[in-house]
Amino acid sequence: MQDPFFATSKSKKRKRSTSTGHAARKIARKEKGPQRVNGSLATKPKSGKQKRVEDEELVSDRTDEDGVDIGDLDLRADDIPETSGDEDVDETPAEKRLRLAKLYLDSVKDGLAEGEYDAAEIDKELISARLRQDVLEHSGKVHLFIADSYNLTAPTARLRCRGHRFSVTSATATEDLKWLFTSGKEGHINKWDLKTGTKVVTFYKQRLDPKGKGKEKASPLDLEGHSDEVLALAVSSDGQYLASAGKDRKICVWDPAKDQWVKNFGGHKDSISGLAFRKNTKHLYSASFDRTVKLYDLSVMGYVETLFGHQDSIISLDALRGETAVTAGARDRTIRYWKIPEESQLVFRGGGKSAIRELLEGGAFEGHEDEEEAGQQTKSKTGVDPQKRFVEGSIECVALIDETNFVSGGDTGSICLWNTGKKKPIFTQAICHGFHEVESATEGIVRTPRWITSIACLRYSDIFVSGRRSSFLGLHLSVDIHRGSWDGEIKMWKLDSKLKSFSLIGAVEIPGVVNSLQLLSVPKGALDGATWTKNIRVSTDKTVKVTGVESILLVAGIGQEHRLGRWLSVKEGVSNSTVVMVFSPRTR
């Protein structure tokens, strides 16, 4: 007997529930004319079987009230596109680009028209210069060629902040020029108001509990502050975070707005000598004597990675907008350019050539006698060899000019200009801060070059400075802006338009050891109302107007000793302080 389950039977009408009967009759009455089925217009008459299948599908999707499918209803609010100006809904991409370009040009004209400029002076050349500058700014290249527009021989305003018992090791100001932060060898961090020059708050050195023993002994990471000398400071571009580090091998993160400690980061196995924030981000780089570079992300307050490569202590670090950093490795005589996304590094070797170095690296003394003979022939009548070369034993400092160019200073007093495309320096200026003379009973007068202790660049511009410490004998006091050394002189340097060389354009005298340098551009109105900047002049120079740099601010941390040790000491006439100077445009 055949199983009833597999038995075939005549097609029977499917019984509909009473709740859907009204909707089915309503749909059946509309089958005679054209209708939409599943969103499309149906004009072809359908057979009875197709109609029944369609009725069943439609009925199963309808509600029992008005026959309208809830899934077909658009319950979302109408999307109102964000428009700017006179934007049209039917505007093509080309028309939109043209409209935005016109708006941008109008804003540029409005910006250039402010101040003492007339509408007739705002010509195509001035506007095109601003457009070129904006393009270069986004490309990460040097675009501020302003050295000739400013008087860098004498500051128009000067502020001295005294608040540290021992040498100032680092000094940095926020980009909006509202606050200044300084650190000293005593372990304190001071916050200053740049408008008034007064000290706002001090983050004092913390002391470990001497009574604790074993596991109960307090760890430096548990303290809300530093327990030893502070060697480096860095402020984020928006001024939200201040980072500090030093000999206690930890990084402290502070909130400058609330004057509060936020978090500590450990991980380094030796003193931390350098800190740098990536521009416009919360990414923080740290360099240490343990020969490593670490990266932190303060947006999530977390550690990212560690970079290895240096063979000696890292004593200088710098970073800009790109995901790169540059470090100086002291006595391994290398500068390393770190590419974070590629997890690679470029190695640049300094120090020059010498017979001893050639021998240690596997070479020979070939040509050594010729070099000596050539040196004797170039001696002047006074017996002084102006061409005598000094072998660089340590690279002390490094600073980025833009994303591909940087400068470095060493213990021979030389400053080198580098490019990431070449392994050797593009240009080297020897003996930048002169000689230090010491009288010896056996050798007579021994002359050694004063080494470069600090260097800084005005970001993406043709200006950089270097510093040194004061002479032991106090015979020579001079200052090179953008460069610090151990003779107490800060010298200012100008790069040529092709970034192939540089030349000296000014100097400022500051007695003491220049441990820290920073250059900042002063935006319009940033120092308005400051009590110590009454002599700042407003320039009508077109270059100043296009770049928007009203003046240049130099921050120099001065001490009686070098920030990393006590082998240099200048006591007489030197105060542990921070000097802030403003350089105004030239008057024509």
Side-chain angles (χ1 to χ4, degrees), residues 274-302:
L275 293 172
F277 273 98
R278 181 184 164 199
K279 190 174 177 61
N280 297 329
T281 69
K282 301 295 191 302
H283 294 172
L284 175 66
Y285 299 94
S286 66
S288 172
F289 285 5
D290 64 4
R291 301 174 293 179
T292 65
V293 177
K294 291 186 182 293
L295 174 60
Y296 303 88
D297 188 357
L298 299 191
S299 61
V300 295
M301 287 296 166

Side-chain angles (χ1 to χ4, degrees), residues 123-353:
D123 53 3
K124 293 182 180 180
E125 183 179 356
L126 199 60
I127 295 175
S128 62
R130 172 62 68 86
L131 294 176
R132 287 195 298 270
Q133 179 195 343
D134 290 345
V135 172
L136 289 173
E137 183 177 358
H138 286 85
S139 65
K141 298 179 181 179
V142 172
H143 60 275
L144 297 174
F145 292 94
I146 58 177
D148 294 332
S149 302
Y150 292 85
N151 182 15
L152 300 177
T153 58
T156 55
R158 185 184 295 227
L159 172 67
R160 185 180 289 269
C161 301
R162 297 183 178 91
H164 291 280
R165 181 183 176 187
F166 299 132
S167 296
V168 175
T169 57
S170 182
T172 182
T174 56
E175 292 189 3
D176 59 1
L177 304 185
K178 187 176 181 181
W179 308 112
L180 169 68
F181 299 94
T182 61
S183 63
K185 281 192 172 184
E186 74 279 355
H188 301 338
I189 301 173
N190 291 335
K191 176 183 176 182
W192 306 80
D193 186 348
L194 269 181
K195 292 289 184 70
T196 61
T198 57
K199 183 165 60 175
V200 179
V201 69
T202 299
F203 304 124
Y204 291 99
K205 175 182 177 181
Q206 304 295 317
R207 296 186 179 275
L208 296 173
D209 185 8
K211 297 181 180 180
K213 296 182 180 180
K215 295 183 178 179
E216 297 180 358
K217 189 175 181 179
S219 171
L221 291 177
D222 298 332
L223 299 177
E224 296 184 0
H226 290 283
S227 58
D228 208 333
E229 297 179 13
V230 180
L231 301 179
L233 296 175
V235 183
S236 59
S237 299
D238 57 0
Q240 183 178 355
Y241 292 115
L242 167 70
S244 60
K247 287 190 174 181
D248 54 3
R249 301 179 291 179
K250 71 175 182 180
I251 300 172
C252 292
V253 181
W254 309 84
D255 186 347
K258 299 179 181 179
D259 298 332
Q260 293 179 353
W261 170 87
V262 178
K263 187 179 178 62
N264 287 336
F265 287 104
H268 281 294
K269 299 180 180 180
D270 207 337
S271 300
I272 300 174
S273 57
L275 293 172
F277 273 98
R278 181 184 164 199
K279 190 174 177 61
N280 297 329
T281 69
K282 301 295 191 302
H283 294 172
L284 175 66
Y285 299 94
S286 66
S288 172
F289 285 5
D290 64 4
R291 301 174 293 179
T292 65
V293 177
K294 291 186 182 293
L295 174 60
Y296 303 88
D297 188 357
L298 299 191
S299 61
V300 295
M301 287 296 166
Y303 159 80
V304 179
E305 63 177 322
T306 301
L307 309 176
F308 299 90
H310 276 288
Q311 303 302 312
D312 195 31
S313 302
I314 305 174
I315 58 177
S316 184
L317 167 71
D318 199 13
L320 284 179
R321 185 180 290 109
E323 293 186 69
T324 57
V326 62
T327 54
R331 294 199 172 274
D332 71 356
R333 293 178 296 187
T334 64
I335 300 170
R336 295 180 186 256
Y337 184 87
W338 307 89
K339 298 181 179 180
I340 309 301
E342 292 88 348
E343 297 183 355
S344 63
Q345 56 183 284
L346 301 178
V347 182
F348 303 89
R349 300 190 182 277
K353 291 184 178 181

Side-chain angles (χ1 to χ4, degrees), residues 371-390 431 435 447:
E371 290 180 3
E372 284 188 347
E373 293 175 359
Q376 292 177 358
Q377 292 176 1
T378 57
K379 285 185 179 181
S380 62
K381 296 180 180 179
T382 59
V384 178
D385 183 6
Q387 303 296 330
K388 184 178 180 180
R389 295 184 300 175
F390 294 87
I431 320 298
F435 290 93
R447 306 177 70 201

Side-chain angles (χ1 to χ4, degrees), residues 53-91:
V53 173
E54 183 180 352
D55 288 346
E56 293 174 2
E57 292 177 354
L58 291 172
V59 170
S60 63
D61 292 336
R62 299 286 179 173
T63 59
D64 56 353
E65 293 182 357
D66 55 357
V68 179
D69 183 11
I70 192 68
D72 295 335
L73 294 176
D74 188 6
L75 301 179
R76 297 172 297 177
D78 294 337
D79 294 333
I80 301 175
E82 297 180 358
T83 60
S84 58
D86 301 328
E87 184 174 355
D88 189 2
V89 178
D90 299 330
E91 188 178 33

